[in-house]
């Protein structure tokens, strides 16, 4: 195996790189790929239904599922395809800096939803932005703003939301935008990595051909019970140009 030819994002899933199990095993999903209750809220941009983007991403997901090692991954629901713009709060992660300053750590999630909705009343919306694919990885797609202006707009949205909600995750300034297809149950054996690299490269090329700019809906504040459904509570329309 010629390791330098393999993407760092793929190598992250290599069994030889880990002595520990995947970090979400047992909390976000079980060893059978069934998603567990992990309630919280978030702000995401769902993929627009009925678009070439949706068709391309569904086709990509099917190629992941056709891999011999697909059973080593928990696949999120096809209807939940989205890009997270800003992380909300998780009921199981009640600590700073993952929780708003000055808000009791035992506040029920329903009350947190209401608090965030109240704060969103004061939100100055950011600019509209477009997103394109950087790379396909075993967990899904890594994306970014299609242009420098789009990347600036996405960072601006995140800064506005962080100031409004009162917390910033440690990765706030270098957050990697993504569209999740899977979570690993077990790591990939090193000898299968070249086949995965070929599949991922083909997926990325097909998406770039079919959807060079990904068609996403406006950001929306959502609540969720697990990783299979993100219920839109309030759409955050971008500022008018």
């Amino acid at each position: 195996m010629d390791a330098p030819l393999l993407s760092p994002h793929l190598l992250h899933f290599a069994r030889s790189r880990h002595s520990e199990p995947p970090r979400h095993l047992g909390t976000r999903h079980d060893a059978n790929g069934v998603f567990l209750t992990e309630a919280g809220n978030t702000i995401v941009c769902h993929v627009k239904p009925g678009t070439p983007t949706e068709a391309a991403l569904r086709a990509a997901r099917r190629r992941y599922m056709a891999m011999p090692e697909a059973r080593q991954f928990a696949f999120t629901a096809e209807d939940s395809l989205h890009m997270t713009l800003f992380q909300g709060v998780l009921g199981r992660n009640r600590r700073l800096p993952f929780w708003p300053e000055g808000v009791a750590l035992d506040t029920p999630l329903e009350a947190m939803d209401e608090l965030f909705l109240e704060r969103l009343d004061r939100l100055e919306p950011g600019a509209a932005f477009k997103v394109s694919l950087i790379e396909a990885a075993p967990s899904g797609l890594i994306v970014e703003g299609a242009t420098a202006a789009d990347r600036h707009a996405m960072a601006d949205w995140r800064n506005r939301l962080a100031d409004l909600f009162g917390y910033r995750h440690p990765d706030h300034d270098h957050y990697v935008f993504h569209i999740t297809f899977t979570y690993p149950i077990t790591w990939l054996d090193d000898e299968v990595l070249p086949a995965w690299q070929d599949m991922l490269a083909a997926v990325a090329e097909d998406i770039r051909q079919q959807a060079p700019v990904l068609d996403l809906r406006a950001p929306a504040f959502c609540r969720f019970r697990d990783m299979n459904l993100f219920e839109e509570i309030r759409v955050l329309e971008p500022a008018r140009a």
Side-chain angles (χ1 to χ4, degrees):
M1 180 178 63
D2 192 353
L5 296 178
L6 301 179
S7 161
H9 293 292
L10 174 58
L11 286 171
H12 173 72
F13 289 79
R15 190 180 303 277
S16 62
R17 298 292 181 99
H18 297 278
S19 59
E20 78 292 345
R23 70 187 182 97
H24 293 301
L25 180 62
T27 54
R28 186 158 293 180
H29 59 82
D30 66 18
N32 296 313
V34 176
F35 284 94
L36 305 173
T37 299
E38 188 183 31
N41 58 40
T42 187
I43 292 180
V44 309
C45 300
H46 279 105
V47 173
K48 282 188 181 179
T51 61
T53 295
E54 183 189 45
L57 269 54
R58 285 176 180 258
R61 183 178 178 276
R62 289 194 294 271
R63 292 179 77 164
Y64 281 60
M65 296 183 78
M67 293 296 286
E69 299 77 27
R71 66 187 181 279
Q72 296 176 224
F73 294 86
F75 282 79
T76 58
E78 197 170 28
D79 292 337
S80 77
L81 291 171
H82 65 272
M83 181 201 78
T84 300
L85 180 62
F86 186 82
Q87 308 101 303
V89 295
L90 282 173
R92 69 172 178 83
N93 195 16
R94 295 170 177 271
R95 58 192 175 94
L96 301 177
F98 304 96
W99 199 263
E101 290 275 358
V103 178
L105 296 177
D106 61 354
T107 303
L109 284 177
E110 294 80 4
M112 294 302 299
D113 292 345
E114 292 303 319
L115 173 65
F116 282 5
L117 286 168
E118 290 174 8
R119 293 184 178 185
L120 284 170
D121 288 338
R122 307 193 302 272
L123 176 68
E124 291 291 335
F129 55 83
K130 296 180 179 180
V131 170
S132 59
L133 176 69
I134 300 177
E135 183 181 340
S139 57
L141 308 178
I142 300 165
V143 302
E144 68 175 358
T147 67
D150 294 319
R151 293 189 286 275
H152 175 80
M154 293 167 76
D156 182 60
W157 271 97
R158 287 179 57 79
N159 289 333
R160 290 169 184 263
L161 290 164
D163 291 342
L164 188 72
F165 288 159
Y167 63 92
R168 291 180 181 236
H169 286 195
D171 66 351
H172 178 85
D173 292 323
H174 53 273
Y175 181 76
V176 177
F177 295 100
H178 57 276
I179 297 175
T180 297
F181 290 165
T182 74
Y183 290 93
I185 298 171
T186 60
W187 302 113
L188 292 169
D189 290 332
D190 286 38
E191 56 264 29
V192 307
L193 297 182
W196 273 79
Q197 184 71 76
D198 290 344
M199 184 276 289
L200 295 170
V203 161
E205 179 60 24
D206 286 349
I207 292 173
R208 292 188 184 103
Q209 291 291 327
Q210 298 170 42
V213 173
L214 302 180
D215 206 352
L216 303 180
R217 295 168 62 174
F221 177 71
C222 303
R223 62 187 170 204
F224 57 87
R225 183 177 179 273
D226 59 30
M227 294 296 111
N228 276 322
L229 177 64
F230 295 79
E231 179 188 2
E232 294 191 359
I233 307 301
R234 181 178 300 178
V235 176
L236 310 177
E237 294 293 348
R240 292 180 179 271

